[in-house]
Every structure is written in structure tokens, then in C-alpha cells.
Amino acid sequence: MIKNICIYCNNDIKSNNLKKELIKKLENNKYKIVNENEDLGVAIGGDGAFLRMIKKTNFNSEIYYIGINTGTLGFAQEVRAESIDDFIEKLNKNAYKTENVSVLEIEIETDSKKESIFALNDVTIRDSELNTTKLLIEVDKHKLEKFVGDGILVSTSFGSTAYNLSFGGSVICNSLHTTQITPIAPLNSKVYRNLLNSIVIPQDSIIEVMPEENKDNLIVTIDGENKFYDSVKKVTMFVKNKRIKMLREQDYNFIDKVNEKFLK
Ligand code: NAP
Ligand code: MN
């Protein structure tokens, strides 16, 4: 039962006006607007707003999430800005279905610390000066390659339509719980040999990335947020059974969404 709703809103005028209108309508329909412990998180904005909501709520598997699109693309945003009456009606009738979307878990180990982070879309691993970086990539302790190039991107199925797509990665149906390793400007010559395409890895497989000298300074970008790490020993990434629950229209179809957002 959804009763308590928290709204996560972008800071532009359109989103803020929509938020005011939405709060009024939700309260008229006996929902309670809360700042924490919500049953449902609603992100008003684009995909970035959705990603920020998921991060702010710490990838909470217990609650439901939905987005209202006032952004530019809004691939994740299920509700159109003009359709908030329809949104409330569907909430009242319990008419949404749930899609379980997998979350990427990342562990970053440096000389001095070990940090665990979640991502919904993706992680890019690059040299902190954006120079060529050499990374040993292993999957389940099997060597895939000694990567040489700008870096790599590891994306979830959900993130496959984001940065991954711009680097020539594959679109993956969101109902599949995979990770995808996509090279960023891989070098290829008689000296270096790299996979030029993405490789898709099943759930539970563990990707380990080790800088060559065991001490590279890296920029690790997680869902669009840059973090700098000195002397990185290893970055470990995997999708296990951690999921978030997204509300979807009854007739939601991933192929339709790809067609609508990228091809129409
Ligand atoms: P942003 O710079 O606004 O994102 C770039 C574009 O990616 C926006 O059009 C955004 O949609 C879209 N997007 C984000 N997540 C998506 C998803 N899961 N499926 C399809 N499209 C998606 O930054 P942001 O909004 O904070 O999003 C962060 C994400 O941007 C990162 O995780 C990364 O994947 C992506 N990114 C892409 C590029 C690139 O393609 N060259 C460069 C940097 C970052 P909205 O317009 O609705 O926000
Ligand atoms: Mn954005």
C-alpha cells in the first residue's frame, strides 16, 4: 500500500511548478507528503533526477520509485509531465506493475582505504590525468585482457541506454540482470591488442580491474559523478541480487521505449 510519498525535484521552474501542483493533488487524494520513510519516491526532472533520487535514498529495495519527465530525454521517467492526473488515478487503483532493476555494486580498494558504492547506470574508470591507462581486467579470476586505452565503462542493463550506447555498447533489455564492459578508445596496433566491442557478463560474475603498476591514480565516474582515487589497487564490480522496484505502466514494453526515445 502506497501512503507516504517523497518528492525529489530538479531545481528548474517547470519542475518546481509541477511539484506544487502534484503535492496539492496528492494531498487531496489522501496521500501524505513526507521527507523520509516513504513508500514511494517520485523524481521530477530527467534521468539525472531519477539517478539522484535513487542515490539519495541509498538504493532502497523496500520502496517503490517512479519518475515524472520534465527533463530532456527521460528514459527512466515513466510519467509524462502533462499526465499527473492519470498518474494519481493509477496510484489510487493500484494499476502500476513493478519492474525489478538490478544495481551494480562497486568496491574500490586503494593503498589506504576500501570503499563500497552502488550504481544504477554505470561506472567509468579512467586515468586521473586522462592519459592512456593500462588495466588488467579479470572476470571470475579469468584474465580477459590487459586493456590499453582511455579506460573502460561498466554498465548495468538499465544503464545500457546511457553512456554505454555512446561508446558503441549494446542495448540490453532491462529485465536481464547483466553487466557490460565497454572499451573507451581501445588502442589497437601490433603492440596492443584489445577487444573493440562490449562483452556482456552474467549476474553473479565478478569483474576485477587492476591498474598495471598497482598504484594508478584514477577518475572513477559513478552515474555521472566524478570521484578521484589515488593509488588504486583494484576496482571490483558485480550485479548480484540487489534490486530496486520501479513502477511501470501495465503496457510498459522495453522495445517500445527504445523505439520511442531513440528512433522515432
Ligand atoms: P546528463 O549529462 O544529462 O546525461 C546524458 C544523457 O543521458 C541525458 O540525455 C540523460 O537523460 C541520458 N540518460 C541518463 N541515464 C540514462 C539511461 N539509463 N538511459 C537512457 N538515457 C539516459 O547527466 P545525468 O542526467 O546526470 O545522467 C548521468 C548519466 O549520463 C551517466 O550515468 C552516463 O551514463 C550518462 N552520460 C552520457 C554521456 C554521453 O553519452 N556522452 C556523457 C556523460 C554522461 P536526461 O536528458 O533525461 O537527463
Ligand atoms: Mn540529465
Side-chain angles (χ1 to χ4, degrees):
M1 261 299 276
I2 291 169
K3 189 105 201 54
N4 298 328
I5 299 178
C6 185
I7 298 172
Y8 300 84
C9 188
N10 263 3
N11 225 347
D12 58 278
I13 296 169
K14 185 179 177 192
S15 302
N16 271 307
N17 286 341
L18 190 81
K19 180 182 171 181
K20 280 185 208 140
E21 192 188 341
L22 181 66
I23 289 178
K24 217 187 287 162
K25 289 184 170 172
L26 283 171
E27 285 178 339
N28 285 341
N29 280 271
K30 309 270 182 286
Y31 293 98
K32 196 169 161 211
I33 306 301
V34 296
N35 292 318
E36 55 184 7
N37 296 326
E38 67 265 40
D39 309 311
L40 173 69
V42 179
I44 302 178
D47 292 320
F50 192 83
L51 292 169
R52 281 189 292 279
M53 166 175 76
I54 302 302
K55 187 178 170 202
K56 208 159 177 205
T57 53
N58 200 24
F59 297 77
N60 191 338
S61 309
E62 305 299 317
I63 66 179
Y64 294 95
Y65 293 106
I66 196 164
I68 303 177
N69 192 25
T70 56
T72 38
L73 183 71
F75 193 87
Q77 304 297 71
E78 191 65 359
V79 181
R80 287 182 300 135
E82 345 25 287
S83 307
I84 58 170
D85 289 325
D86 177 64
F87 164 58
I88 294 172
E89 202 180 310
K90 283 177 177 149
L91 271 188
N92 289 341
K93 288 188 186 148
N94 213 354
Y96 285 106
K97 66 180 179 187
T98 307
E99 184 177 36
N100 294 312
V101 170
S102 49
V103 171
L104 185 69
E105 303 186 41
I106 307 137
E107 285 165 14
I108 301 170
E109 192 182 338
T110 71
D111 265 354
S112 55
K113 61 178 176 183
K114 212 172 175 176
E115 213 176 286
S116 295
I117 312 171
F118 295 127
L120 186 59
N121 266 354
D122 46 34
V123 181
T124 61
I125 300 175
R126 287 173 287 193
D127 174 75
S128 62
E129 312 266 298
L130 300 177
N131 294 325
T132 306
T133 180
K134 293 182 180 169
L135 304 166
L136 171 64
I137 304 173
E138 290 183 358
V139 178
D140 297 330
K141 301 284 182 199
H142 296 266
K143 177 182 170 180
L144 173 68
E145 64 181 350
K146 174 77 81 56
F147 175 86
V148 185
D150 278 15
I152 59 159
L153 177 141
V154 175
S155 83
T156 58
S157 305
F158 185 81
S160 68
T161 45
Y163 212 176
N164 172 68
L165 201 55
S166 306
F167 285 125
S170 290
V171 172
I172 308 279
C173 288
N174 287 178
S175 53
L176 298 174
H177 303 291
T178 64
T179 45
Q180 179 169 188
I181 307 171
T182 298
I184 307 174
L187 271 165
N188 261 283
S189 63
K190 70 177 193 183
V191 194
Y192 300 115
R193 181 157 294 279
N194 287 285
L195 264 189
L196 298 180
N197 301 91
S198 299
I199 178 163
V200 178
I201 311 281
Q203 174 178 344
D204 293 329
S205 273
I206 295 177
I207 303 165
E208 290 173 295
V209 176
M210 279 118 343
E212 191 181 38
E213 310 283 313
N214 224 354
K215 58 175 170 43
D216 261 14
N217 299 340
L218 300 176
I219 312 181
V220 182
T221 309
I222 295 162
D223 288 347
E225 194 183 317
N226 295 321
K227 290 167 167 267
F228 291 82
Y229 293 91
D230 289 337
S231 304
V232 176
K233 286 183 163 169
K234 186 158 77 175
V235 183
T236 307
M237 289 156 285
F238 48 87
V239 160
K240 285 202 175 141
N241 39 25
K242 183 165 177 66
R243 308 274 183 265
I244 59 157
K245 295 184 287 192
M246 296 181 57
L247 293 185
R248 297 293 198 189
E249 297 278 352
Q250 281 299 341
D251 62 354
Y252 173 86
N253 177 279
F254 182 74
I255 301 299
D256 286 342
K257 192 68 130 194
V258 171
N259 177 268
E260 178 199 334
K261 295 290 183 182
F262 291 107
L263 299 164
K264 247 184 190 162

